[in-house]
């Protein structure tokens, strides 16, 4: 009897999206896309050449003139249609996120829902672009301000939120009248193509939204392109600094969000169970692959022992597994190399829970891990680990805890857990970070505020989404107008007067 061997399934091919349609890559270069839960490659993604990036930018440039003339009412109508489609299909894209990123399905749905809030904010673009008008600023003269789009803008986005972070960028950019080129992470690129198809279905004109996949070649091509007016970036601090410096050196407007090392301070009067719940949730959710994850708990005074005991009690109950399994609470990390890098932090400090033990053999898994007595100077303290490793630092006083946060080169987010309102208010007043949580471990602002950190967590002067995004994606123009009787016109070489 002849044995039958089933042939392996063909890999999915992920192409660019230019001018309202998928476009196969021509560079001859591709990258692998994996299912992190199995460790197996599922797709190839095209890597763009400089010429292909130019093709996407030219598509956006061609579409720009017509799109900026579209009325605010029509733009709002399209955004309401986008909102409805994303809402209806959020589980569809969430499954795509889980299959390529690894996060559990409930977390993926949460990602899409938070991104949807930014789209909802942009549905109000007619109100958001209202400006000011001063009648009779001088005799017979009115002065008013307007905000106009920049033209072609671009977004370079990370692997950890392949749907939400692009929404933070393309939604306000396009609502303001710009056209957009997205360079998503090559590790989980399918959500960007799904987005492009959905925007087309919602009625967005061809060329307004484009996607090019790739690596540093594509990134540099975007940063150097003379027709790209502004660049938004989210990623690690070294790359954020590089993007900012390169983009601004070519005259572009740039906002580049970098890495983080988020401290959660727990004061002696805090509710231990609530603080432990928060620490476990914020450290291990999405396998710790969040720039707002809590990676360092700072235990003040005698709170350390009961807090650590409470965290250790909760860790074994976290169900780790395939993100598509409804019972899973934490999935794998994005790649094998990243999993191994995160695991290397468990080679130092007092490891109380080692996530390498009992991790699923298949896929890129690491279980929740806990290290005690982590101090400044240790790799586990200084680095943005970006994985499910939580460190505990013990200090004697509130002042020592705040000093740790303020001395950090990062300033993305921080949190304090306490029942003392005075201590909480003092903390939010003096701590040096862009986003602060009071009994909230992950203080990501709602969509009508703006997201961004301080220090090495942000390069540029504007945060993403919210009101600051409207400023970032537009430029102001002030108009001074007069409609006099021509018979009253005279030559006057004097300095213009307003009185």
């Amino acid at each position: 009897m002849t044995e039958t061997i089933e042939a392996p399934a063909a890999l999915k091919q992920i192409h660019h999206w230019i001018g309202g349609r998928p476009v196969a890559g021509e560079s001859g270069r591709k990258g692998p896309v994996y299912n992190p839960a199995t460790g197996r490659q599922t797709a190839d993604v095209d890597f763009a050449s400089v010429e292909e990036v130019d093709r996407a930018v030219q598509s956006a440039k061609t579409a720009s003139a017509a799109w900026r003339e579209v009325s605010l009412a029509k733009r709002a109508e399209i955004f309401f249609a986008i909102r409805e489609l994303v809402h209806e299909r959020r589980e569809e894209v969430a499954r795509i996120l889980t299959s390529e990123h690894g996060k559990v399905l409930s977390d993926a749905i949460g990602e899409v829902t938070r991104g949807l809030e930014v789209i909802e904010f942009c549905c109000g673009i007619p109100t958001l672009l209202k400006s000011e008008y001063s009648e009779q600023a001088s005799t017979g003269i009115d002065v008013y301000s307007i905000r106009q789009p920049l033209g072609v803008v671009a977004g370079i986005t990370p692997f950890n939120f392949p749907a939400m972070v692009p929404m933070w960028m393309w939604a306000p950019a396009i609502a303001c009248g710009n056209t957009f080129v997205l360079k998503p992470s090559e590790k989980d690129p399918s959500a960007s193509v799904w987005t492009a198809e959905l925007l087309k279905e919602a009625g967005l004109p061809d060329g307004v939204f484009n996607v090019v996949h790739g690596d540093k070649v594509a990134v540099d091509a975007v940063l150097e392109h003379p027709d790209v007016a502004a660049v938004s970036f989210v990623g690690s601090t070294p790359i954020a600094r590089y993007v900012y410096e390169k983009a601004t050196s070519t005259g572009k407007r740039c906002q580049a969000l970098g890495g983080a090392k988020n401290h959660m301070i727990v004061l002696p009067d805090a509710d231990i169970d609530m603080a432990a719940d928060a620490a476990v949730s914020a450290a291990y959710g999405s396998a710790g692959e969040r720039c707002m994850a809590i990676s360092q708990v700072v235990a003040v005074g005698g709170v350390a022992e009961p807090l650590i005991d409470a965290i250790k009690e909760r860790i074994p109950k976290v169900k780790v597994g395939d993100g598509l399994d409804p019972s899973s609470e934490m999935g794998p990390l994005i790649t094998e190399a990243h999993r191994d890098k995160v695991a290397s932090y468990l080679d130092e400090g007092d490891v109380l829970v080692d996530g390498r033990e009992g991790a699923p053999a298949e896929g890129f898994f690491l279980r929740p891990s806990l290290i005690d007595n982590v101090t400044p100077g240790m790799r586990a303290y200084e680095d943005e680990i970006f994985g499910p490793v939580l460190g505990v630092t013990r200090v004697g006083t509130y002042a020592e805890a705040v000093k740790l946060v303020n001395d950090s080169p990062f300033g993305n987010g921080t949190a304090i857990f306490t029942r003392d309102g005075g201590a909480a208010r003092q903390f939010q007043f003096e701590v040096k970070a862009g986003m602060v949580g009071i009994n909230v471990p992950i203080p990501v602002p709602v969509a009508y505020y703006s997201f961004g950190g301080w220090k090495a967590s942000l390069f540029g002067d504007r945060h993403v989404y919210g009101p600051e995004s409207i400023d970032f994606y537009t430029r102001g123009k002030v108009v001074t107008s007069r409609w006099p009787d021509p018979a009253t016109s005279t030559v006057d070489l004097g300095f213009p007067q307003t009185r």
Side-chain angles (χ1 to χ4, degrees):
M1 182 176 179
T2 303
E3 182 180 2
T4 301
I5 300 177
E6 186 176 343
L11 293 175
K12 181 176 74 169
Q13 301 300 306
I14 302 171
H15 302 310
H16 313 300
W17 182 277
I18 300 174
R21 63 183 182 87
V23 176
E26 298 175 358
S27 71
R29 299 189 310 121
K30 296 178 181 291
V33 178
Y34 294 92
N35 180 342
T38 64
R40 290 190 286 271
Q41 185 178 350
T42 57
D44 280 319
V45 58
D46 294 329
F47 278 11
S49 64
V50 173
E51 293 75 20
E52 287 168 310
V53 171
D54 177 65
R55 195 178 308 165
V57 173
Q58 294 308 319
S59 172
K61 184 178 180 181
T62 299
S64 179
W67 178 243
R68 68 161 295 185
E69 292 183 358
V70 171
S71 70
L72 295 177
K74 181 63 178 178
R75 282 188 232 162
E77 179 185 6
I78 291 174
F79 265 80
F80 275 109
I82 293 170
R83 188 267 172 204
E84 289 307 302
L85 287 175
V86 173
H87 177 72
E88 291 170 6
R89 300 180 188 173
R90 61 191 183 280
E91 184 168 336
E92 177 184 321
V93 69
R95 289 184 176 278
I96 293 173
L97 302 181
T98 296
S99 67
E100 291 186 353
H101 174 275
K103 64 181 64 180
V104 299
L105 188 59
S106 60
D107 195 22
I109 292 173
E111 171 186 342
V112 178
T113 302
R114 288 305 299 267
L116 184 60
E117 292 177 8
V118 177
I119 294 173
E120 291 171 343
F121 173 76
C122 293
C123 288
I125 194 62
T127 299
L128 297 172
L129 285 179
K130 285 176 65 176
S131 294
E132 299 171 326
Y133 192 105
S134 296
E135 184 182 44
Q136 202 70 355
S138 186
T139 304
I141 292 180
D142 303 328
V143 180
Y144 55 94
S145 63
I146 56 179
R147 299 205 67 86
Q148 296 183 330
L150 304 176
V152 179
V153 299
I156 303 169
T157 56
F159 71 81
N160 59 327
F161 291 106
M164 182 182 72
V165 171
M167 289 177 186
W168 289 1
M169 300 175 185
W170 64 252
I174 290 173
C176 286
N178 302 283
T179 54
F180 199 86
V181 177
L182 172 64
K183 206 304 285 183
S185 171
E186 68 278 12
K187 294 181 176 66
D188 44 10
S190 291
S192 61
V193 178
W194 180 91
T195 298
E197 294 170 345
L198 181 139
L199 294 180
K200 182 179 178 72
E201 183 177 344
L204 194 70
D206 292 345
V208 174
F209 180 81
N210 304 271
V211 179
V212 286
H213 304 291
D215 53 7
K216 188 175 183 295
V217 172
V219 169
D220 285 345
V222 168
L223 298 178
E224 295 169 358
H225 202 292
D227 291 324
V228 174
V231 176
S232 298
F233 172 86
V234 174
S236 69
T237 287
I239 306 302
R241 181 180 287 109
Y242 171 83
V243 166
Y244 181 77
E245 292 175 352
K246 195 169 187 67
T248 54
S249 72
T250 62
K252 294 175 176 40
R253 185 178 291 186
C254 184
Q255 53 180 188
L257 278 70
K261 189 67 179 182
N262 304 317
H263 298 72
M264 176 178 134
I265 295 175
V266 182
L267 297 187
D269 70 330
D271 183 287
I272 296 298
D273 287 332
M274 184 173 74
D277 287 341
V280 170
S281 301
Y284 307 129
S286 198
E289 294 176 322
R290 299 192 282 213
C291 69
M292 289 295 285
I294 291 297
S295 59
Q296 201 66 36
V297 166
V298 182
V300 179
V303 78
E305 294 300 338
L307 178 62
I308 289 172
D309 288 344
I311 292 173
K312 286 174 62 178
E313 179 186 348
R314 286 158 172 77
I315 286 177
K317 300 175 184 178
V318 176
K319 175 67 184 301
V320 177
D322 189 326
L324 293 176
D325 182 343
S327 68
S328 294
E329 296 175 296
M330 192 186 98
L333 281 82
I334 185 72
T335 63
E336 182 178 23
H338 183 57
R339 187 269 315 275
D340 293 345
K341 179 183 177 183
V342 172
S344 73
Y345 289 95
L346 297 172
D347 294 331
E348 64 177 12
D350 298 332
V351 178
L352 302 181
V353 181
D354 191 330
R356 294 170 293 195
E357 299 172 358
E362 186 180 60
F364 310 138
F365 287 94
L366 182 70
R367 292 188 57 81
S369 303
L370 182 65
I371 310 177
D372 192 9
N373 295 311
V374 177
T375 57
M378 295 171 57
R379 288 174 59 241
Y381 182 87
E382 302 293 343
D383 295 355
E384 181 182 27
I385 297 175
F386 224 62
V389 176
L390 176 62
V392 178
T393 300
R394 301 175 183 231
V395 296
T397 66
Y398 163 85
E400 291 176 84
V402 173
K403 187 175 187 301
L404 286 175
V405 180
N406 289 349
D407 286 349
S408 172
F410 301 108
N412 208 44
T414 187
I416 189 168
F417 276 71
T418 180
R419 303 184 205 200
D420 185 335
R425 189 182 186 284
Q426 183 66 21
F427 180 72
Q428 63 88 25
F429 177 78
E430 64 186 0
V431 74
K432 295 178 182 178
M435 293 169 283
V436 179
I438 297 173
N439 297 317
V440 175
I442 305 180
V444 175
V446 292
Y448 43 90
Y449 285 81
S450 295
F451 177 104
W454 290 9
K455 298 185 281 189
S457 294
L458 174 70
F459 299 87
D461 60 357
R462 285 292 181 271
H463 295 158
V464 296
Y465 72 73
E468 293 190 46
S469 70
I470 305 302
D471 288 344
F472 180 78
Y473 289 118
T474 60
R475 52 189 168 189
K477 181 181 288 185
V478 178
V479 180
T480 303
S481 73
R482 181 175 62 156
W483 299 96
D485 182 345
T488 66
S489 179
T490 62
V491 174
D492 184 355
L493 302 187
F495 196 86
Q497 300 295 313
T498 59
R499 291 183 175 86

